[in-house]
Amino acid sequence: MSVAKLEAHLGTGHTTVSRCWKITRNDGEVLGFTDHDRDLSFDGVDFKAETGLTAMALQQGTGLAVDNTEALGALSSTAIREEDIEAGRYDGAEVLAYLVNWSNVSQRKVLFRGFIGEVRRTDGQFQAELRGLTDLLNRPIGRAYQKPCTAVFGDRSCGVDLDAPGMVTTAVVQDVPERLKVRFAALQGFDAGWFERGAFQVIDGAAHGLSVAIKRDVMLADGSREIELWQSLRAELAAGDTVRLVAGCDKRFDTCVGKFANGVNFQGFPDIPGEDWMISQPSKNAQRKSKRKGLNWIRP
């Protein structure tokens, strides 16, 4: 990528430039778009023309101000599909915007790097808010002093390997009796409740690539398993679809030690006093005993 040659090209006054967008979705799929009238290719990505995707003016500032812009486009079955937006596959997707010399695509530079924010749909079109990287600085950081563990289950501070035996299994959906309930055949080697607060990740079918949290994991009388989800998938789940079930953690110290043998990495403070100790008062029985012994009792 030659930024200097692109700037020299812009300085000629007679330019052949266009904009390109590279979108990396949450499920790993990479899409490329351009507002040029023919397809362009670089960095192993094909940037498709005639997708109806255009960009509004980019607001950029110095310092820590958030760079913002928007992308407009038409919902197309071959490009950006409405069902994929509805399923949330573009939520938080990474976006790279380029200025490219379409006569020599090696002459290009990155105009914007960020994430997709709010997506609005109306009359067969979509409007996506693009947020710059400095928007991440608005998130709270630091540790909270509390009894439950503050680590994300399976991350570096937690240390539990979610790919280890006993942590994850794949299963085929047997039935979907309700929107939030999914049934499987017996899951051998996993106790009831093992996957509560874990992850429900769809591998194939219409909802492939989507993931939600597990609310309950119940073993039924016939030995089959019923998984209840905290929220419904934003795409259809059907019998025969394959899912990945990841063990769950309730963030308690006893669970960290007993279920995962990981107490050394526990990121909470199980012995921190609760709020009730702040309003506790001396026992009246102790006060009476002090008076009988001739001791002076000082009321706080």
Side-chain angles (χ1 to χ4, degrees):
M1 181 170 62
S2 176
V3 177
K5 290 184 178 180
L6 175 63
E7 292 177 348
H9 171 71
L10 295 175
T12 64
H14 180 71
T15 60
T16 54
V17 295
S18 62
R19 296 175 185 267
C20 294
W21 297 269
K22 176 185 174 182
I23 299 178
T24 305
R25 300 191 326 194
N26 295 326
D27 57 4
E29 185 170 351
V30 178
L31 303 172
F33 307 95
T34 179
D35 58 6
H36 190 42
D37 57 4
R38 61 181 176 87
D39 296 349
L40 302 176
S41 296
F42 55 85
D43 289 345
V45 180
D46 294 329
F47 296 84
K48 300 296 183 180
E50 300 179 356
T51 57
L53 188 68
T54 58
M56 300 178 67
L58 174 63
Q59 298 178 2
Q60 292 181 307
T62 58
L64 299 180
V66 178
D67 297 338
N68 291 306
T69 184
E70 289 185 334
L72 305 175
L75 295 170
S76 169
S77 60
T78 59
I80 298 180
R81 300 184 300 172
E82 185 171 8
E83 52 265 36
D84 288 334
I85 294 178
E86 178 66 27
R89 292 191 172 96
Y90 288 94
D91 293 353
E94 182 181 3
V95 178
L96 272 173
Y98 298 89
L99 182 65
V100 183
N101 180 357
W102 51 261
S103 63
N104 184 355
V105 295
S106 66
Q107 300 177 10
R108 61 183 186 272
K109 68 176 181 178
V110 175
L111 293 178
F112 174 86
R113 184 190 298 267
F115 305 90
I116 292 180
E118 182 181 357
V119 180
R120 298 182 294 276
R121 294 166 295 151
T122 178
D123 298 330
Q125 294 183 334
F126 73 92
Q127 183 172 350
E129 177 190 20
L130 305 183
R131 299 173 180 172
L133 293 177
T134 50
D135 185 62
L136 298 175
L137 298 177
N138 292 328
R139 301 178 182 180
I141 59 175
R143 296 192 61 185
Y145 289 89
Q146 59 184 30
K147 287 188 176 182
C149 181
T150 57
V152 176
F153 184 53
D155 70 0
R156 183 173 60 182
S157 60
C158 170
V160 173
D161 182 5
L162 298 184
D163 293 323
M167 292 294 104
V168 64
T169 187
T170 56
V172 177
V173 175
Q174 192 176 62
D175 186 24
V176 187
E178 300 179 20
R179 187 70 173 172
L180 294 176
K181 293 184 178 180
V182 185
R183 290 182 181 173
F184 302 89
L187 301 177
Q188 301 296 337
F190 297 95
D191 297 334
W194 187 261
F195 297 103
E196 287 184 4
R197 298 176 182 266
F200 184 98
Q201 302 168 345
V202 185
I203 297 176
D204 57 20
H208 72 278
L210 302 184
S211 176
V212 293
I214 296 174
K215 183 177 182 179
R216 291 190 180 89
D217 171 18
V218 181
M219 184 178 296
L220 303 180
D222 60 357
S224 62
R225 210 61 163 259
E226 183 175 88
I227 300 293
E228 183 178 357
L229 308 177
W230 276 106
Q231 62 184 28
S232 61
L233 291 163
R234 292 157 63 179
E236 195 67 27
L237 185 71
D241 291 348
T242 305
V243 302
R244 185 173 185 262
L245 303 175
V246 183
C249 179
D250 61 5
K251 307 294 186 179
R252 297 188 304 118
F253 182 71
D254 293 342
T255 301
C256 189
V257 174
K259 185 174 181 179
F260 305 108
N262 192 45
V264 67
N265 290 324
F266 187 74
Q267 299 297 310
F269 302 86
D271 299 320
I272 194 171
E275 295 180 354
D276 53 346
W277 74 274
M278 299 177 62
I279 59 174
S280 60
Q281 296 181 348
S283 171
K284 292 183 178 180
N285 291 332
Q287 184 176 1
R288 294 193 187 99
K289 291 179 181 178
S290 298
K291 287 183 177 179
R292 285 198 300 267
K293 293 180 181 180
L295 300 176
N296 295 325
W297 180 265
I298 302 176
R299 183 179 295 275

